[in-house]
Amino acid sequence: MNKKSVKDIDLKGKRVFCRVDFNVPMQDGQITDETRIRAALPTIQYLQEQGAKVILASHLGRPKGQVVEELRLTSVAKRLSELLGKDVKKANEAYGDAVKALIAEMNEGDVLLLENVRFYPGEEKNDPELAKAFADLADIYVNDAFGAAHRAHASTEGIAHHLPAVSGFLMDKELEVIGKALSNPERPFTAIIGGAKVKDKIGVIDNLLDKVDNLIIGGGLAYTFVKAQGHEVGNSLLEEDKIELAKSFMEKAKEKGVNFYMPVDAVVADKFGADANTKNVSIEDIPADWEALDIGPKTAELYRDVIKKSKLVIWNGPMGVFEIDKFANGTKAVAESLAESKDTYSIIGGGDSAAAVEKFNLADQMSHISTGGGASLEFMEGKELPGVVALNDK
Ligand SMILES: Nc1ncnc2c1ncn2[C@@H]1O[C@H](COP(=O)(O)OP(=O)(O)O)[C@@H](O)[C@H]1O
Ligand SMILES: O=C(OP(=O)(O)O)[C@H](O)COP(=O)(O)O
């Protein structure tokens, strides 16, 4: 990478503002997946070893500029203390005099976790005053939050304009692994896009059509395309205002010679939930009052064949509502196909896809599981990540 890293800078005795992505899934105040915390440990430990005073900052969830009690980083600080084997102090704010007082007491190698940076409206607006207030806490800025690198926020972008700004090891690793795979992709190159964030992902598909040989669509996303093909989708997830766009993507795929794979069958349910009645139907036969919550077995088989013939696969978004066993088979089949294809380099992005792979105990069979969903997609699309652009050049 042409950006300076934490290795390129003297850290001894310095106050380091290190942005990490501790946006971990939580249920009833408990962390349900700590992958992102563990992924940040190498940088934190390196900073400690080098004699820095480590000031960590992260967002958690989307509190929209307000204090939301459940989204405090308290349980993250506790878990981090256990993982580091050292007490991590937790501030109740993310900047200001009280925080400065805590920092003034820090010794070399100490770690302080600031409060959720998204409790402040200025964070997501990239308010220069908030960026300056963050910068006032430290001598050096380190960005190790790959998962949030596609956001131009005060703690991911703005602050970098006020301090010497370098990347952390997780950031470096993600950019290197994904960048290398995509700079000269081994072919056939296949992208699998699923999940529910239709609005976020539909634009991604446009850009991916310029890069891939095969595009596989699944998950809730698929039904806007099914509708665009002229079929009824019942109560399935649908973005009415994206149907025309979906049509244009199918046209573009044809023009570009990209194989565009869509579900040929689906598992439909008479309601959303574990106690729903279900059946397998052909894609043109989704009943009016039912919703498609997984790809069907024929589709899974079709996708398996494509995956097996691919040399590089990027996968973002589950094929169905994998959290409910009845609708997990499609996602499981894709994960198993990737695990079986030993010659295929697989990159998994997105919290839910990673969680699904974890749930099926196949995580160690994947080539790279990225800590960033949106970030890895934007990077793969060829977009510049603001959190990276803002760092100092080598
Ligand atoms: N057919 C479907 N209908 C409704 N929701 C779906 C469907 N398929 C998948 N999902 C949901 O999509 C969610 C994940 O979507 P998304 O956030 O876009 O993925 P990721 O986090 O991997 O990027 C999961 O919670 C899953 O239940
Ligand atoms: O979880 C994240 O994104 P992801 O679900 O796309 O991996 C990142 O922490 C960014 O969070 P955001 O999408 O609320 O900006």
Side-chain angles (χ1 to χ4, degrees):
M1 197 171 58
N2 62 345
K3 295 292 181 182
K4 277 194 182 156
S5 106
V6 77
K7 284 260 182 195
D8 301 318
I9 198 158
D10 179 23
L11 298 157
K12 176 90 181 137
K14 299 281 173 31
R15 296 168 302 165
V16 176
F17 186 110
C18 180
R19 176 60 156 98
V20 287
D21 184 357
F22 284 164
N23 184 27
V24 288
M26 308 265 290
Q27 227 160 29
D28 306 323
Q30 301 293 318
I31 298 163
T32 54
D33 178 18
E34 61 188 34
T35 308
R36 280 180 169 162
I37 305 179
R38 287 181 180 273
L41 294 178
T43 299
I44 298 169
Q45 285 165 334
Y46 179 78
L47 293 171
Q48 288 182 288
E49 286 157 19
Q50 296 296 308
K53 298 169 185 174
V54 189
I55 306 157
L56 299 174
S58 178
H59 72 282
L60 176 63
R62 293 179 169 174
K64 299 196 160 64
Q66 284 176 5
V67 176
V68 174
E69 287 303 324
E70 305 84 74
L71 295 178
R72 287 195 183 275
L73 284 164
T74 315
S75 41
V76 174
K78 188 162 163 274
R79 186 65 191 125
L80 182 62
S81 299
E82 290 162 6
L83 291 169
L84 288 173
K86 181 183 171 81
D87 187 40
V88 173
K89 278 231 165 70
K90 156 78 187 15
N92 288 325
E93 293 92 29
Y95 69 94
D97 291 341
V99 176
K100 281 184 183 161
L102 287 174
I103 294 170
E105 286 169 14
M106 289 173 83
N107 294 312
E108 291 181 7
D110 280 355
V111 182
L112 172 73
L113 177 60
L114 303 180
E115 190 50 275
N116 190 341
V117 289
R118 288 198 187 163
F119 283 178
Y120 306 92
E123 167 64 5
E124 292 182 70
K125 292 190 190 119
N126 200 1
D127 174 16
E129 274 183 35
L130 182 60
K132 183 76 177 61
F134 288 150
D136 282 346
L137 302 176
D139 308 300
I140 290 168
Y141 173 67
V142 174
N143 192 352
D144 209 25
F146 174 74
H150 57 318
R151 309 289 182 212
H153 295 170
S155 71
T156 62
E157 203 276 343
I159 181 174
H161 300 287
H162 298 284
L163 293 173
V166 300
S167 61
F169 295 127
L170 175 63
M171 182 73 91
D172 290 348
K173 185 174 140 205
E174 292 269 17
L175 295 173
E176 193 197 319
V177 172
I178 302 173
K180 212 161 149 192
L182 293 191
S183 64
N184 192 7
E186 284 211 67
R187 293 184 183 277
F189 174 16
T190 300
I192 308 173
I193 306 292
K197 291 181 185 165
V198 181
K199 278 208 174 73
D200 284 10
K201 291 183 186 175
I202 212 136
V204 171
I205 293 170
D206 191 10
N207 286 319
L208 285 176
L209 284 171
D210 296 323
K211 300 195 161 50
V212 299
D213 304 297
N214 304 306
L215 187 72
I216 292 178
I217 304 280
L221 197 79
Y223 304 96
T224 302
F225 288 87
V226 172
K227 180 85 179 174
Q229 272 183 325
H231 305 308
E232 289 310 318
V233 298
N235 291 334
S236 309
L237 206 67
L238 175 67
E239 292 284 340
E240 293 273 1
D241 59 343
K242 300 281 189 247
I243 296 171
E244 286 308 310
L245 199 61
K247 272 188 201 159
S248 74
F249 292 166
M250 292 191 269
E251 283 302 317
K252 180 171 172 179
K254 227 181 259 165
E255 280 162 26
K256 295 240 160 202
V258 174
N259 301 306
F260 197 91
Y261 295 96
M262 288 187 26
V264 292
D265 61 350
V267 180
V268 295
D270 59 356
K271 62 176 171 185
F272 189 101
D275 56 343
N277 293 305
T278 66
K279 55 185 176 185
N280 292 341
V281 296
S282 287
I283 210 67
E284 57 274 12
D285 295 330
I286 298 176
D289 293 334
W290 294 54
E291 56 188 308
L293 295 179
D294 195 9
I295 56 171
K298 286 195 185 119
T299 309
E301 211 39 54
L302 170 71
Y303 290 2
R304 183 184 298 262
D305 287 344
V306 180
I307 291 167
K308 286 204 155 168
K309 288 184 195 135
S310 302
K311 281 277 189 298
L312 171 64
V313 175
I314 57 174
W315 179 21
N316 186 301
M319 296 293 99
V321 183
F322 74 97
E323 298 92 337
I324 301 173
D325 286 344
K326 278 181 180 171
F327 310 115
N329 289 334
T331 306
K332 192 170 181 202
V334 164
E336 285 172 347
S337 306
L338 285 168
E340 287 160 15
S341 310
K342 300 290 175 212
D343 291 338
T344 307
Y345 193 89
S346 49
I347 301 179
I348 318 300
D352 288 295
S353 317
V357 169
E358 200 71 59
K359 176 176 164 161
F360 306 132
N361 287 321
L362 293 170
D364 58 352
Q365 309 283 313
M366 305 298 142
S367 311
H368 179 70
I369 298 185
S370 176
T371 50
S376 62
L377 272 182
E378 290 203 15
F379 185 50
M380 287 171 189
E381 279 180 77
K383 283 192 184 157
E384 293 202 305
L385 303 177
V388 177
V389 174
L391 301 176
N392 298 153
D393 292 327
K394 260 193 179 146

